[in-house]
Amino acid sequence: MVNFYMRFFLAAITSLAAGCANLSGRPVPLASGDYPFVHKYAEHPDMPSIELTAQIRGHHIRLINYSQSAVFPIGVIDEGDLLWHASSEQWIIGETAADASASEVGGCSDGPTVVDLERRIYWTC
């Protein structure tokens, strides 16, 4: 009987963890799908850059460059988990849940990259 409860408990925890990749509980504002995004420089936001494709699958994002450019090579530019960074009130691309509480994000910091899901902008330095 103890084995049954232990398995039930572990299954419940695993299910919860899988459904809560974004620990804030905040839903990703875009449904799973492919979306056109633009790249912008944090220090020069008005400087023209390139278009990217964002593949969003739940809380996972993959940004892909399909065009030859001097900005990024062709292929996957960035990939990771979409996490809400509460202190900056921005979505970030994280590698671990700890990134959601990073002291700095985006721009030219050493922190996770910022991605504006509403305006569909991928920000880099």
Side-chain angles (χ1 to χ4, degrees), residues 39-107:
H39 168 257
K40 290 198 178 212
Y41 297 99
E43 291 185 336
H44 305 284
D46 296 326
M47 181 185 290
S49 191
I50 64 170
E51 292 185 13
L52 303 168
T53 297
Q55 292 179 338
I56 296 176
R57 304 295 183 263
H59 282 90
H60 190 82
I61 187 169
R62 176 182 291 146
L63 289 144
I64 304 167
N65 175 26
Y66 287 108
S67 303
Q68 189 68 20
S69 77
V71 179
F72 292 115
I74 292 176
V76 176
I77 303 306
D78 203 344
E79 180 173 12
D81 293 323
L82 289 168
L83 302 170
W84 179 251
H85 189 258
S87 63
S88 69
E89 298 185 349
Q90 299 179 92
W91 286 97
I92 61 170
I93 301 174
E95 295 178 16
T96 68
D99 288 336
S101 58
S103 58
E104 293 183 357
V105 297

Side-chain angles (χ1 to χ4, degrees), residues 4 9 35 38 70 82 117-118 124:
F4 169 78
F9 177 74
Y35 297 90
V38 295
L82 289 168
L117 298 177
E118 293 174 4
T124 66

Side-chain angles (χ1 to χ4, degrees), residues 7 12 19 26-28 30 37-38 48 51 73 76 80 84 89 102 111 116-117 120:
R7 283 190 307 221
R26 186 179 207 99
V28 174
L30 294 173
F37 268 57
V38 295
E51 292 185 13
V76 176
W84 179 251
E89 298 185 349
D116 184 333
L117 298 177
R120 300 182 186 178

Side-chain angles (χ1 to χ4, degrees), residues 1-16:
M1 188 58 103
V2 171
N3 253 351
F4 169 78
Y5 289 114
M6 184 59 84
R7 283 190 307 221
F8 178 77
F9 177 74
L10 289 174
I13 294 297
T14 302
S15 177
L16 266 173

